[in-house]
Amino acid sequence: MKETKIIKAEPSNLNENEIMPAAEIIASGGLCVFPTETVYGLGANASDPLAVAKIFEAKGRPQDNPLIVHIWKYEQLFDLVTEVPEKAGVLAEHFWGGPLTMIFKRSEKVPAVVSAGLDTVAVRLPSHPVANALIKLSGVPIAAPSANLSGKPSPTSFKHAAEDMTGRADAIIDGGNSFFGIESTVIDMTEDVPTILRPGAITPADIKELIGEVYLGKGNSGAPKSPGMKYKHYAPRAPLYIVESENPVEIINSRTKEKTGVINFGYDNSDFKAEYVFNMGKTASEYAANIFYALREFDDSDTEEIYAIPPKDDGVGIAVRNRIYKSAGGKVI
Ligand code: TXA
Ligand code: MG
């Protein structure tokens, strides 16, 4: 176990000097957890293969699951990729900095370990002031997956990032809660018609409006192109059931026992008989901001089973449904 330095930073009133020790850790090959607008990331110098290898070790991440490289200004992209397709330029102009990750052909300057040996590389320019200051001050692009132990929900608060990474990272920046609460939209830009590999806050409709046709989930080959998609993710300790049948509230109430929990998307808490009802808010963006936090809180409670009625399948709701379905691992009633 290493000693983990805690560094406080206030995103709305950032003093960059406070981030300097974290930037020095990145520049000298260490690991630093930092807040982004989506979820907390576990960062290392993307151009240092030994530093990047430490990320896989600290998370217990499978070696074949590639990482996202984070930049703070657009010009950094040209060092990382061999070509920037026109449509990618358009998306960058509209959605960077922000929760969009694009996949490009990888330049030889990016060590293979970053991309788990693939000939592509995922790149994102965040909008979070702390993340961007860290990348700028460290002077290098930062490779970073979500800062959870492999198989746990992505951390959206300092508390949850510290739970997983204390003793594993050299530093953790406490920048409060993430703004969106689910990970970035991942889109593969290497083919003529791009493919959304992971839904997020930037929706298929947002993207189509700018660049026309996009595929969802699987490319035209039908095979999943994102190695991360084959792993079971975000599983809470208690079994989670998705309720899609008619009269879902009645069904949940009829199954409710002493230690039943409900992840409540948009109903009144009083509609449910269960003792633990975690209210996700009223809009899809609120659902996104709360979902991982709720899953982690259930893990800390003695809940024995969890039910959720998923939100509508449009806009940001698409991404929320994607995460809740993954957490349930196929248990739908
Ligand atoms: O919002 C986010 O994207 C957060 C913050 C920290 O930026 N990061 C994040 O990273 O969620 P991670 O590693 O947990 O998820 C990255 C996903 C994985 O599913 C991975 O397989 C996929 O992106 N990915 C990365 N590089 C890829 C590549 N070259 N080709 C296909 N998929 C890739
Ligand atoms: Mg992750």
Side-chain angles (χ1 to χ4, degrees):
M1 295 293 258
K2 24 175 124 183
E3 200 182 314
T4 304
K5 195 191 201 80
I6 307 297
I7 298 167
K8 265 271 195 204
E10 177 53 57
S12 60
N13 183 21
L14 183 62
N15 172 359
E16 288 192 352
N17 288 330
E18 291 165 357
I19 312 278
M20 264 328 276
E24 279 158 15
I25 285 170
I26 296 280
S28 60
L31 294 184
C32 177
V33 173
F34 61 101
T36 85
E37 72 277 20
T38 56
V39 301
Y40 273 72
L42 171 65
N45 177 354
S47 42
D48 177 348
L50 292 178
V52 172
K54 291 182 195 165
I55 294 178
F56 288 88
E57 195 189 316
K59 274 186 65 109
R61 183 175 178 102
Q63 295 287 340
D64 63 349
N65 196 0
L67 308 176
I68 298 172
V69 178
H70 297 70
I71 57 179
W72 75 279
K73 60 176 176 181
Y74 187 64
E75 291 66 43
Q76 284 180 292
L77 178 64
F78 301 102
D79 263 356
L80 304 175
V81 309
T82 58
E83 100 182 72
V84 179
E86 201 184 317
K87 289 175 183 174
V90 172
L91 293 182
E93 192 173 327
H94 281 79
F95 298 122
W96 279 1
L100 181 73
T101 296
M102 289 192 273
I103 298 186
F104 300 90
K105 298 210 169 98
R106 176 167 61 94
S107 129
E108 277 171 11
K109 289 188 192 153
V110 178
V113 59
V114 169
S115 293
L118 298 176
D119 58 5
T120 54
V121 61
V123 185
R124 177 161 108 79
L125 196 160
S127 64
H128 197 290
V130 173
N132 291 9
L134 179 68
I135 307 165
K136 181 175 96 180
L137 295 173
S138 62
V140 291
I142 296 184
S146 48
N148 51 289
L149 291 171
S150 229
K152 291 245 256 163
S154 297
T156 55
S157 62
F158 167 71
K159 173 187 156 193
H160 288 159
E163 250 168 45
D164 282 13
M165 287 302 147
T166 302
R168 293 174 183 268
D170 298 290
I172 303 178
I173 304 178
D174 176 359
N177 293 341
S178 296
F179 311 145
F180 292 110
I182 51 174
E183 309 88 346
S184 60
T185 304
V186 177
I187 184 166
D188 180 355
M189 302 303 299
T190 61
E191 283 172 60
D192 221 28
V193 177
T195 301
I196 295 176
L197 301 177
R198 180 174 72 181
I202 309 287
T203 67
D206 295 335
I207 292 171
K208 278 182 192 153
E209 198 180 312
L210 289 168
I211 60 165
E213 196 184 4
V214 287
Y215 295 126
L216 284 184
K218 293 179 175 176
N220 35 7
S221 62
K225 287 191 70 180
S226 192
M229 298 200 312
K230 69 173 185 274
Y231 297 107
K232 186 164 175 272
H233 265 309
Y234 326 124
R237 183 183 45 72
L240 166 63
Y241 298 93
I242 305 287
V243 186
E244 289 282 20
S245 43
E246 266 178 57
N247 305 322
V249 174
E250 288 75 34
I251 288 182
I252 293 172
N253 284 338
S254 71
R255 288 171 163 245
T256 293
K257 292 182 271 216
E258 202 182 323
K259 289 177 180 165
T260 296
V262 173
I263 300 176
N264 177 10
F265 296 105
Y267 291 82
D268 288 335
N269 273 13
S270 58
D271 289 350
F272 297 100
K273 285 201 294 197
E275 187 178 345
Y276 307 97
V277 182
F278 217 118
N279 200 304
M280 300 288 97
K282 291 286 180 207
T283 66
S285 297
E286 288 174 342
Y287 303 160
N290 292 323
I291 176 76
F292 287 142
Y293 194 88
L295 288 172
R296 291 242 180 191
E297 291 296 305
F298 274 122
D299 274 353
D300 290 342
S301 75
D302 60 356
T303 310
E304 284 174 358
E305 54 186 15
I306 309 168
Y307 291 92
I309 306 167
K312 280 213 312 261
D313 199 17
D314 63 16
V316 179
I318 297 171
V320 175
R321 285 178 72 94
N322 167 270
R323 304 308 194 273
I324 194 87
Y325 264 86
K326 279 193 173 192
S327 311
K331 294 189 286 301
V332 182
I333 38 182

